[in-house]
Amino acid sequence: MKKYGKTMIIETLILLLLFWGYWSFCCVQKQTTYDEISTKIENGETFTLMIIKEDCNYCENLDTYIMKTKLLHPFHTIYVCTYDGAVNYPKELGYLSYTPSIFKIKNGNVARKGVGFAPDGGMIAIDDGESNITKMDTINFWKFLSSD
């Protein structure tokens, strides 16, 4: 009986460590400021940025979607900044057409930009410079984050 008890305790500890290890690699959202983002851009860093607005239903729906699905998508860090009227908005990001706006920054340059959010399929629009979101191609949020 004693041997069985020790084995059970060890197996339980191993499972807890594995779960904790997996959890530590799950998608993380970090609140940040425009000043911090500008510094990351100036330093030529590669990262993902999401700009949201207060009381934006699309932003809230995307946040809910991320929380519900992030366990299936490890290894993503998303810096989140709240749009506050463009006082310190980094000019390198270009025009903020819609929220949420998701920027893939590579070596300090905007490589790709996604905008809006449709809960059906977790879709965002790929901003190609068109002013009308209905004409933009769409992609799943997680595929967008994983793409180059």
PDB file of all heavy atoms in Angstrom, residues 64-94:
ATOM      1  N   THR A  64     -12.666  38.148 -25.545  1.00  0.00           N
ATOM      2  CA  THR A  64     -13.364  36.941 -25.094  1.00  0.00           C
ATOM      3  C   THR A  64     -12.905  35.730 -25.904  1.00  0.00           C
ATOM      4  O   THR A  64     -12.645  34.657 -25.345  1.00  0.00           O
ATOM      5  CB  THR A  64     -14.893  37.120 -25.219  1.00  0.00           C
ATOM      6  OG1 THR A  64     -15.282  38.233 -24.412  1.00  0.00           O
ATOM      7  CG2 THR A  64     -15.641  35.882 -24.784  1.00  0.00           C
ATOM      8  N   TYR A  65     -12.791  35.895 -27.216  1.00  0.00           N
ATOM      9  CA  TYR A  65     -12.334  34.819 -28.096  1.00  0.00           C
ATOM     10  C   TYR A  65     -10.922  34.368 -27.713  1.00  0.00           C
ATOM     11  O   TYR A  65     -10.643  33.171 -27.639  1.00  0.00           O
ATOM     12  CB  TYR A  65     -12.382  35.300 -29.551  1.00  0.00           C
ATOM     13  CG  TYR A  65     -11.861  34.303 -30.550  1.00  0.00           C
ATOM     14  CD1 TYR A  65     -12.623  33.197 -30.923  1.00  0.00           C
ATOM     15  CD2 TYR A  65     -10.605  34.463 -31.133  1.00  0.00           C
ATOM     16  CE1 TYR A  65     -12.142  32.277 -31.852  1.00  0.00           C
ATOM     17  CE2 TYR A  65     -10.120  33.552 -32.059  1.00  0.00           C
ATOM     18  CZ  TYR A  65     -10.900  32.462 -32.409  1.00  0.00           C
ATOM     19  OH  TYR A  65     -10.423  31.558 -33.330  1.00  0.00           O
ATOM     20  N   ILE A  66     -10.036  35.312 -27.475  1.00  0.00           N
ATOM     21  CA  ILE A  66      -8.663  34.972 -27.075  1.00  0.00           C
ATOM     22  C   ILE A  66      -8.681  34.183 -25.776  1.00  0.00           C
ATOM     23  O   ILE A  66      -8.007  33.151 -25.663  1.00  0.00           O
ATOM     24  CB  ILE A  66      -7.798  36.242 -26.942  1.00  0.00           C
ATOM     25  CG1 ILE A  66      -7.569  36.879 -28.310  1.00  0.00           C
ATOM     26  CG2 ILE A  66      -6.462  35.928 -26.262  1.00  0.00           C
ATOM     27  CD1 ILE A  66      -6.942  38.261 -28.268  1.00  0.00           C
ATOM     28  N   MET A  67      -9.444  34.644 -24.790  1.00  0.00           N
ATOM     29  CA  MET A  67      -9.482  33.964 -23.492  1.00  0.00           C
ATOM     30  C   MET A  67     -10.019  32.537 -23.619  1.00  0.00           C
ATOM     31  O   MET A  67      -9.530  31.635 -22.943  1.00  0.00           O
ATOM     32  CB  MET A  67     -10.334  34.752 -22.499  1.00  0.00           C
ATOM     33  CG  MET A  67      -9.741  36.109 -22.170  1.00  0.00           C
ATOM     34  SD  MET A  67      -8.001  36.011 -21.804  1.00  0.00           S
ATOM     35  CE  MET A  67      -7.969  36.555 -20.161  1.00  0.00           C
ATOM     36  N   LYS A  68     -10.995  32.335 -24.494  1.00  0.00           N
ATOM     37  CA  LYS A  68     -11.598  31.009 -24.651  1.00  0.00           C
ATOM     38  C   LYS A  68     -10.714  30.045 -25.441  1.00  0.00           C
ATOM     39  O   LYS A  68     -10.834  28.837 -25.281  1.00  0.00           O
ATOM     40  CB  LYS A  68     -12.953  31.124 -25.356  1.00  0.00           C
ATOM     41  CG  LYS A  68     -14.042  31.674 -24.468  1.00  0.00           C
ATOM     42  CD  LYS A  68     -15.374  31.712 -25.223  1.00  0.00           C
ATOM     43  CE  LYS A  68     -16.483  32.230 -24.341  1.00  0.00           C
ATOM     44  NZ  LYS A  68     -17.762  32.287 -25.088  1.00  0.00           N
ATOM     45  N   THR A  69      -9.860  30.561 -26.308  1.00  0.00           N
ATOM     46  CA  THR A  69      -9.115  29.687 -27.218  1.00  0.00           C
ATOM     47  C   THR A  69      -7.602  29.703 -27.004  1.00  0.00           C
ATOM     48  O   THR A  69      -6.883  28.970 -27.678  1.00  0.00           O
ATOM     49  CB  THR A  69      -9.408  30.069 -28.686  1.00  0.00           C
ATOM     50  OG1 THR A  69      -9.042  31.441 -28.896  1.00  0.00           O
ATOM     51  CG2 THR A  69     -10.871  29.867 -29.027  1.00  0.00           C
ATOM     52  N   LYS A  70      -7.101  30.489 -26.082  1.00  0.00           N
ATOM     53  CA  LYS A  70      -5.647  30.649 -25.955  1.00  0.00           C
ATOM     54  C   LYS A  70      -4.910  29.387 -25.518  1.00  0.00           C
ATOM     55  O   LYS A  70      -3.741  29.224 -25.844  1.00  0.00           O
ATOM     56  CB  LYS A  70      -5.303  31.809 -25.027  1.00  0.00           C
ATOM     57  CG  LYS A  70      -5.582  31.577 -23.571  1.00  0.00           C
ATOM     58  CD  LYS A  70      -5.206  32.814 -22.777  1.00  0.00           C
ATOM     59  CE  LYS A  70      -5.361  32.598 -21.300  1.00  0.00           C
ATOM     60  NZ  LYS A  70      -4.954  33.795 -20.571  1.00  0.00           N
ATOM     61  N   LEU A  71      -5.576  28.481 -24.818  1.00  0.00           N
ATOM     62  CA  LEU A  71      -4.902  27.249 -24.409  1.00  0.00           C
ATOM     63  C   LEU A  71      -4.500  26.391 -25.605  1.00  0.00           C
ATOM     64  O   LEU A  71      -3.569  25.600 -25.525  1.00  0.00           O
ATOM     65  CB  LEU A  71      -5.781  26.430 -23.464  1.00  0.00           C
ATOM     66  CG  LEU A  71      -5.944  26.993 -22.055  1.00  0.00           C
ATOM     67  CD1 LEU A  71      -6.908  26.133 -21.252  1.00  0.00           C
ATOM     68  CD2 LEU A  71      -4.615  27.103 -21.347  1.00  0.00           C
ATOM     69  N   LEU A  72      -5.202  26.573 -26.707  1.00  0.00           N
ATOM     70  CA  LEU A  72      -4.897  25.812 -27.921  1.00  0.00           C
ATOM     71  C   LEU A  72      -3.810  26.467 -28.762  1.00  0.00           C
ATOM     72  O   LEU A  72      -3.392  25.924 -29.778  1.00  0.00           O
ATOM     73  CB  LEU A  72      -6.165  25.661 -28.764  1.00  0.00           C
ATOM     74  CG  LEU A  72      -7.342  24.973 -28.081  1.00  0.00           C
ATOM     75  CD1 LEU A  72      -8.584  25.061 -28.956  1.00  0.00           C
ATOM     76  CD2 LEU A  72      -7.003  23.540 -27.748  1.00  0.00           C
ATOM     77  N   HIS A  73      -3.378  27.660 -28.347  1.00  0.00           N
ATOM     78  CA  HIS A  73      -2.431  28.438 -29.152  1.00  0.00           C
ATOM     79  C   HIS A  73      -1.304  28.989 -28.281  1.00  0.00           C
ATOM     80  O   HIS A  73      -1.259  30.171 -27.978  1.00  0.00           O
ATOM     81  CB  HIS A  73      -3.166  29.581 -29.859  1.00  0.00           C
ATOM     82  CG  HIS A  73      -4.297  29.102 -30.688  1.00  0.00           C
ATOM     83  ND1 HIS A  73      -4.114  28.585 -31.951  1.00  0.00           N
ATOM     84  CD2 HIS A  73      -5.621  29.009 -30.431  1.00  0.00           C
ATOM     85  CE1 HIS A  73      -5.283  28.217 -32.438  1.00  0.00           C
ATOM     86  NE2 HIS A  73      -6.208  28.453 -31.536  1.00  0.00           N
ATOM     87  N   PRO A  74      -0.376  28.116 -27.883  1.00  0.00           N
ATOM     88  CA  PRO A  74       0.722  28.582 -27.029  1.00  0.00           C
ATOM     89  C   PRO A  74       1.743  29.425 -27.784  1.00  0.00           C
ATOM     90  O   PRO A  74       1.706  29.518 -29.004  1.00  0.00           O
ATOM     91  CB  PRO A  74       1.344  27.277 -26.535  1.00  0.00           C
ATOM     92  CG  PRO A  74       1.022  26.286 -27.595  1.00  0.00           C
ATOM     93  CD  PRO A  74      -0.304  26.703 -28.172  1.00  0.00           C
ATOM     94  N   PHE A  75       2.629  30.016 -27.036  1.00  0.00           N
ATOM     95  CA  PHE A  75       3.798  30.739 -27.545  1.00  0.00           C
ATOM     96  C   PHE A  75       3.483  32.072 -28.214  1.00  0.00           C
ATOM     97  O   PHE A  75       4.249  32.529 -29.044  1.00  0.00           O
ATOM     98  CB  PHE A  75       4.620  29.863 -28.503  1.00  0.00           C
ATOM     99  CG  PHE A  75       4.973  28.522 -27.937  1.00  0.00           C
ATOM    100  CD1 PHE A  75       4.410  27.372 -28.448  1.00  0.00           C
ATOM    101  CD2 PHE A  75       5.851  28.413 -26.877  1.00  0.00           C
ATOM    102  CE1 PHE A  75       4.730  26.125 -27.919  1.00  0.00           C
ATOM    103  CE2 PHE A  75       6.176  27.175 -26.342  1.00  0.00           C
ATOM    104  CZ  PHE A  75       5.616  26.034 -26.865  1.00  0.00           C
ATOM    105  N   HIS A  76       2.371  32.700 -27.892  1.00  0.00           N
ATOM    106  CA  HIS A  76       2.067  34.024 -28.433  1.00  0.00           C
ATOM    107  C   HIS A  76       2.054  35.040 -27.293  1.00  0.00           C
ATOM    108  O   HIS A  76       1.450  34.805 -26.258  1.00  0.00           O
ATOM    109  CB  HIS A  76       0.695  34.059 -29.114  1.00  0.00           C
ATOM    110  CG  HIS A  76       0.624  33.272 -30.370  1.00  0.00           C
ATOM    111  ND1 HIS A  76       1.234  33.662 -31.539  1.00  0.00           N
ATOM    112  CD2 HIS A  76       0.022  32.100 -30.644  1.00  0.00           C
ATOM    113  CE1 HIS A  76       0.997  32.762 -32.481  1.00  0.00           C
ATOM    114  NE2 HIS A  76       0.263  31.812 -31.961  1.00  0.00           N
ATOM    115  N   THR A  77       2.714  36.156 -27.513  1.00  0.00           N
ATOM    116  CA  THR A  77       2.628  37.292 -26.602  1.00  0.00           C
ATOM    117  C   THR A  77       2.051  38.448 -27.397  1.00  0.00           C
ATOM    118  O   THR A  77       2.564  38.789 -28.467  1.00  0.00           O
ATOM    119  CB  THR A  77       4.009  37.677 -26.035  1.00  0.00           C
ATOM    120  OG1 THR A  77       4.531  36.569 -25.306  1.00  0.00           O
ATOM    121  CG2 THR A  77       3.897  38.880 -25.111  1.00  0.00           C
ATOM    122  N   ILE A  78       0.989  39.029 -26.875  1.00  0.00           N
ATOM    123  CA  ILE A  78       0.328  40.142 -27.545  1.00  0.00           C
ATOM    124  C   ILE A  78       0.405  41.351 -26.624  1.00  0.00           C
ATOM    125  O   ILE A  78      -0.098  41.313 -25.499  1.00  0.00           O
ATOM    126  CB  ILE A  78      -1.153  39.820 -27.851  1.00  0.00           C
ATOM    127  CG1 ILE A  78      -1.260  38.541 -28.674  1.00  0.00           C
ATOM    128  CG2 ILE A  78      -1.815  40.998 -28.563  1.00  0.00           C
ATOM    129  CD1 ILE A  78      -2.683  37.995 -28.764  1.00  0.00           C
ATOM    130  N   TYR A  79       1.031  42.413 -27.100  1.00  0.00           N
ATOM    131  CA  TYR A  79       1.056  43.661 -26.342  1.00  0.00           C
ATOM    132  C   TYR A  79      -0.231  44.411 -26.658  1.00  0.00           C
ATOM    133  O   TYR A  79      -0.592  44.573 -27.824  1.00  0.00           O
ATOM    134  CB  TYR A  79       2.286  44.491 -26.709  1.00  0.00           C
ATOM    135  CG  TYR A  79       3.558  43.845 -26.227  1.00  0.00           C
ATOM    136  CD1 TYR A  79       4.242  42.930 -27.023  1.00  0.00           C
ATOM    137  CD2 TYR A  79       4.049  44.120 -24.955  1.00  0.00           C
ATOM    138  CE1 TYR A  79       5.393  42.316 -26.573  1.00  0.00           C
ATOM    139  CE2 TYR A  79       5.200  43.505 -24.496  1.00  0.00           C
ATOM    140  CZ  TYR A  79       5.865  42.600 -25.304  1.00  0.00           C
ATOM    141  OH  TYR A  79       6.997  41.990 -24.853  1.00  0.00           O
ATOM    142  N   VAL A  80      -0.928  44.844 -25.610  1.00  0.00           N
ATOM    143  CA  VAL A  80      -2.232  45.478 -25.772  1.00  0.00           C
ATOM    144  C   VAL A  80      -2.150  46.919 -25.301  1.00  0.00           C
ATOM    145  O   VAL A  80      -1.673  47.211 -24.203  1.00  0.00           O
ATOM    146  CB  VAL A  80      -3.319  44.728 -24.968  1.00  0.00           C
ATOM    147  CG1 VAL A  80      -4.676  45.400 -25.149  1.00  0.00           C
ATOM    148  CG2 VAL A  80      -3.380  43.268 -25.380  1.00  0.00           C
ATOM    149  N   CYS A  81      -2.618  47.813 -26.153  1.00  0.00           N
ATOM    150  CA  CYS A  81      -2.601  49.242 -25.861  1.00  0.00           C
ATOM    151  C   CYS A  81      -4.000  49.796 -26.119  1.00  0.00           C
ATOM    152  O   CYS A  81      -4.635  49.441 -27.111  1.00  0.00           O
ATOM    153  CB  CYS A  81      -1.585  49.909 -26.787  1.00  0.00           C
ATOM    154  SG  CYS A  81      -0.885  51.401 -26.160  1.00  0.00           S
ATOM    155  N   THR A  82      -4.475  50.647 -25.243  1.00  0.00           N
ATOM    156  CA  THR A  82      -5.788  51.266 -25.411  1.00  0.00           C
ATOM    157  C   THR A  82      -5.627  52.588 -26.146  1.00  0.00           C
ATOM    158  O   THR A  82      -4.833  53.435 -25.739  1.00  0.00           O
ATOM    159  CB  THR A  82      -6.468  51.491 -24.049  1.00  0.00           C
ATOM    160  OG1 THR A  82      -6.569  50.226 -23.386  1.00  0.00           O
ATOM    161  CG2 THR A  82      -7.865  52.077 -24.216  1.00  0.00           C
ATOM    162  N   TYR A  83      -6.375  52.749 -27.225  1.00  0.00           N
ATOM    163  CA  TYR A  83      -6.337  53.985 -28.019  1.00  0.00           C
ATOM    164  C   TYR A  83      -6.893  55.116 -27.183  1.00  0.00           C
ATOM    165  O   TYR A  83      -8.001  55.025 -26.647  1.00  0.00           O
ATOM    166  CB  TYR A  83      -7.153  53.800 -29.299  1.00  0.00           C
ATOM    167  CG  TYR A  83      -7.121  55.001 -30.212  1.00  0.00           C
ATOM    168  CD1 TYR A  83      -5.991  55.265 -30.966  1.00  0.00           C
ATOM    169  CD2 TYR A  83      -8.203  55.851 -30.305  1.00  0.00           C
ATOM    170  CE1 TYR A  83      -5.942  56.357 -31.813  1.00  0.00           C
ATOM    171  CE2 TYR A  83      -8.165  56.949 -31.149  1.00  0.00           C
ATOM    172  CZ  TYR A  83      -7.035  57.198 -31.893  1.00  0.00           C
ATOM    173  OH  TYR A  83      -6.987  58.285 -32.718  1.00  0.00           O
ATOM    174  N   ASP A  84      -6.119  56.184 -27.079  1.00  0.00           N
ATOM    175  CA  ASP A  84      -6.530  57.294 -26.219  1.00  0.00           C
ATOM    176  C   ASP A  84      -6.623  58.621 -26.952  1.00  0.00           C
ATOM    177  O   ASP A  84      -6.455  59.669 -26.360  1.00  0.00           O
ATOM    178  CB  ASP A  84      -5.583  57.407 -25.026  1.00  0.00           C
ATOM    179  CG  ASP A  84      -4.150  57.708 -25.449  1.00  0.00           C
ATOM    180  OD1 ASP A  84      -3.898  57.847 -26.661  1.00  0.00           O
ATOM    181  OD2 ASP A  84      -3.288  57.808 -24.565  1.00  0.00           O
ATOM    182  N   GLY A  85      -6.842  58.583 -28.238  1.00  0.00           N
ATOM    183  CA  GLY A  85      -6.994  59.823 -28.982  1.00  0.00           C
ATOM    184  C   GLY A  85      -5.747  60.250 -29.736  1.00  0.00           C
ATOM    185  O   GLY A  85      -5.622  61.394 -30.117  1.00  0.00           O
ATOM    186  N   ALA A  86      -4.813  59.363 -29.913  1.00  0.00           N
ATOM    187  CA  ALA A  86      -3.635  59.580 -30.749  1.00  0.00           C
ATOM    188  C   ALA A  86      -2.647  60.601 -30.196  1.00  0.00           C
ATOM    189  O   ALA A  86      -1.827  61.129 -30.928  1.00  0.00           O
ATOM    190  CB  ALA A  86      -4.048  59.961 -32.168  1.00  0.00           C
ATOM    191  N   VAL A  87      -2.698  60.889 -28.904  1.00  0.00           N
ATOM    192  CA  VAL A  87      -1.758  61.853 -28.337  1.00  0.00           C
ATOM    193  C   VAL A  87      -0.325  61.377 -28.526  1.00  0.00           C
ATOM    194  O   VAL A  87       0.524  62.116 -29.020  1.00  0.00           O
ATOM    195  CB  VAL A  87      -2.060  62.096 -26.836  1.00  0.00           C
ATOM    196  CG1 VAL A  87      -1.014  62.986 -26.214  1.00  0.00           C
ATOM    197  CG2 VAL A  87      -3.447  62.686 -26.679  1.00  0.00           C
ATOM    198  N   ASN A  88      -0.035  60.148 -28.158  1.00  0.00           N
ATOM    199  CA  ASN A  88       1.314  59.596 -28.297  1.00  0.00           C
ATOM    200  C   ASN A  88       1.354  58.453 -29.305  1.00  0.00           C
ATOM    201  O   ASN A  88       2.303  57.674 -29.304  1.00  0.00           O
ATOM    202  CB  ASN A  88       1.816  59.062 -26.948  1.00  0.00           C
ATOM    203  CG  ASN A  88       1.947  60.146 -25.916  1.00  0.00           C
ATOM    204  OD1 ASN A  88       2.178  61.290 -26.247  1.00  0.00           O
ATOM    205  ND2 ASN A  88       1.787  59.787 -24.663  1.00  0.00           N
ATOM    206  N   TYR A  89       0.358  58.336 -30.141  1.00  0.00           N
ATOM    207  CA  TYR A  89       0.261  57.221 -31.091  1.00  0.00           C
ATOM    208  C   TYR A  89       1.489  57.185 -31.995  1.00  0.00           C
ATOM    209  O   TYR A  89       1.812  58.182 -32.654  1.00  0.00           O
ATOM    210  CB  TYR A  89      -1.019  57.376 -31.911  1.00  0.00           C
ATOM    211  CG  TYR A  89      -1.284  56.257 -32.880  1.00  0.00           C
ATOM    212  CD1 TYR A  89      -1.759  55.033 -32.434  1.00  0.00           C
ATOM    213  CD2 TYR A  89      -1.078  56.418 -34.245  1.00  0.00           C
ATOM    214  CE1 TYR A  89      -2.015  53.995 -33.322  1.00  0.00           C
ATOM    215  CE2 TYR A  89      -1.337  55.396 -35.139  1.00  0.00           C
ATOM    216  CZ  TYR A  89      -1.800  54.189 -34.666  1.00  0.00           C
ATOM    217  OH  TYR A  89      -2.043  53.166 -35.542  1.00  0.00           O
ATOM    218  N   PRO A  90       2.204  56.057 -32.037  1.00  0.00           N
ATOM    219  CA  PRO A  90       3.427  55.974 -32.856  1.00  0.00           C
ATOM    220  C   PRO A  90       3.135  56.139 -34.346  1.00  0.00           C
ATOM    221  O   PRO A  90       2.352  55.397 -34.914  1.00  0.00           O
ATOM    222  CB  PRO A  90       3.954  54.561 -32.560  1.00  0.00           C
ATOM    223  CG  PRO A  90       3.311  54.157 -31.287  1.00  0.00           C
ATOM    224  CD  PRO A  90       1.976  54.831 -31.270  1.00  0.00           C
ATOM    225  N   LYS A  91       3.773  57.104 -34.977  1.00  0.00           N
ATOM    226  CA  LYS A  91       3.534  57.383 -36.404  1.00  0.00           C
ATOM    227  C   LYS A  91       3.934  56.210 -37.292  1.00  0.00           C
ATOM    228  O   LYS A  91       3.411  56.045 -38.382  1.00  0.00           O
ATOM    229  CB  LYS A  91       4.259  58.651 -36.827  1.00  0.00           C
ATOM    230  CG  LYS A  91       5.762  58.578 -36.766  1.00  0.00           C
ATOM    231  CD  LYS A  91       6.400  59.888 -37.166  1.00  0.00           C
ATOM    232  CE  LYS A  91       7.891  59.859 -37.221  1.00  0.00           C
ATOM    233  NZ  LYS A  91       8.628  59.343 -36.130  1.00  0.00           N
ATOM    234  N   GLU A  92       4.837  55.355 -36.798  1.00  0.00           N
ATOM    235  CA  GLU A  92       5.287  54.200 -37.578  1.00  0.00           C
ATOM    236  C   GLU A  92       4.154  53.198 -37.832  1.00  0.00           C
ATOM    237  O   GLU A  92       4.241  52.378 -38.737  1.00  0.00           O
ATOM    238  CB  GLU A  92       6.424  53.462 -36.846  1.00  0.00           C
ATOM    239  CG  GLU A  92       7.671  54.273 -36.655  1.00  0.00           C
ATOM    240  CD  GLU A  92       7.665  55.097 -35.361  1.00  0.00           C
ATOM    241  OE1 GLU A  92       6.623  55.158 -34.681  1.00  0.00           O
ATOM    242  OE2 GLU A  92       8.704  55.665 -35.040  1.00  0.00           O
ATOM    243  N   LEU A  93       3.095  53.261 -37.046  1.00  0.00           N
ATOM    244  CA  LEU A  93       1.979  52.322 -37.203  1.00  0.00           C
ATOM    245  C   LEU A  93       1.011  52.736 -38.307  1.00  0.00           C
ATOM    246  O   LEU A  93       0.171  51.948 -38.719  1.00  0.00           O
ATOM    247  CB  LEU A  93       1.221  52.170 -35.885  1.00  0.00           C
ATOM    248  CG  LEU A  93       2.017  51.615 -34.712  1.00  0.00           C
ATOM    249  CD1 LEU A  93       1.151  51.563 -33.456  1.00  0.00           C
ATOM    250  CD2 LEU A  93       2.578  50.234 -35.031  1.00  0.00           C
ATOM    251  N   GLY A  94       1.139  53.961 -38.778  1.00  0.00           N
ATOM    252  CA  GLY A  94       0.244  54.435 -39.828  1.00  0.00           C
ATOM    253  C   GLY A  94      -1.138  54.786 -39.280  1.00  0.00           C
ATOM    254  O   GLY A  94      -1.360  54.837 -38.080  1.00  0.00           O
TER     255      GLY A  94
END
